[in-house]
Amino acid sequence: MPTQSTTKKAIAYITKNDELMVFTHTDFPEAGVQVPAGTVEENEEPSEAVLREIYEESGVKGVRILELLGIYQYNMAPDRDEIQERYVYHLELTQSTPSTWQHWEIHSSTSKNSIAFDFYWIKLDGSDLGLAGGQGYFLSKLAHKIKNTENAANT
């Protein structure tokens, strides 16, 4: 029996106060709501990959890594015979962005054509927010951390 390949992925939870930056595919809404994420390239650290993916997918450069929230394994079956080792980072926005914007990813690994993404902000509520492909794995942990930080700031 063949073994599944393992691919390293970097996932970005970018926050602005208690909101998370998310997007949908303009031409493929069935792909669901997602956060910036992508493959960690050979000889690249996951922390470098997450910053590169954010810029490629959103056009946003003004972010700062706050912490690695955790690492988990995600089985892509039945879509692909692949296990993803996912590195999930919490980042904060350090530049202003519109409340909504569209960006075209030009360096996509899945297409020679650019792919349009529609970005917006959604309030963290402690759930996985229905993110596609298991991307919401650490959102409850993130929401808890943000709430505790806000409570500490108010005391």
Side-chain angles (χ1 to χ4, degrees):
M1 179 176 198
T3 59
Q4 291 177 303
S5 64
T6 301
T7 305
K8 285 185 179 181
K9 298 286 184 172
I11 295 178
Y13 290 168
I14 303 166
T15 58
K16 177 177 69 173
N17 301 317
D18 63 348
E19 294 181 312
L20 180 72
M21 187 175 88
V22 297
F23 70 90
T24 56
H25 288 257
T26 307
D27 298 324
F28 305 100
E30 65 276 9
V33 177
Q34 300 178 45
V35 293
T39 301
V40 177
E41 296 175 358
E42 191 174 331
N43 299 319
E44 184 179 43
E45 291 297 319
S47 60
E48 297 167 331
V50 77
L51 294 172
R52 176 182 49 76
E53 288 292 341
I54 291 165
Y55 179 68
E56 288 176 2
E57 293 184 359
S58 72
V60 172
K61 284 187 176 181
V63 293
R64 181 173 67 93
I65 295 175
L66 295 176
E67 69 177 312
L68 173 66
L69 284 172
I71 303 167
Y72 71 103
Q73 305 263 317
Y74 188 79
N75 189 337
M76 293 300 294
D79 299 324
R80 283 184 284 198
D81 192 26
E82 172 185 271
I83 300 290
Q84 293 184 349
E85 181 177 81
R86 294 177 167 185
Y87 293 74
V88 182
Y89 290 90
H90 176 208
L91 302 97
E92 71 176 348
L93 189 67
T94 61
Q95 73 178 66
S96 62
T97 65
S99 59
T100 64
W101 72 98
Q102 190 172 66
H103 184 78
W104 289 263
E105 181 180 22
I106 298 169
H107 303 289
S108 173
S109 60
T110 58
S111 173
K112 290 185 180 6
N113 300 322
S114 60
I115 300 172
F117 299 130
D118 294 314
F119 281 87
Y120 58 99
W121 295 92
I122 189 168
K123 190 167 181 68
L124 287 166
D125 64 6
S127 75
D128 70 3
L129 301 175
L131 292 184
Q135 288 186 334
Y137 191 84
F138 283 120
L139 281 183
S140 63
K141 179 179 181 179
L142 176 61
H144 182 72
K145 284 182 168 288
I146 288 173
K147 184 177 180 182
N148 284 345
T149 301
E150 288 175 353
N151 287 343
N154 292 331
T155 56

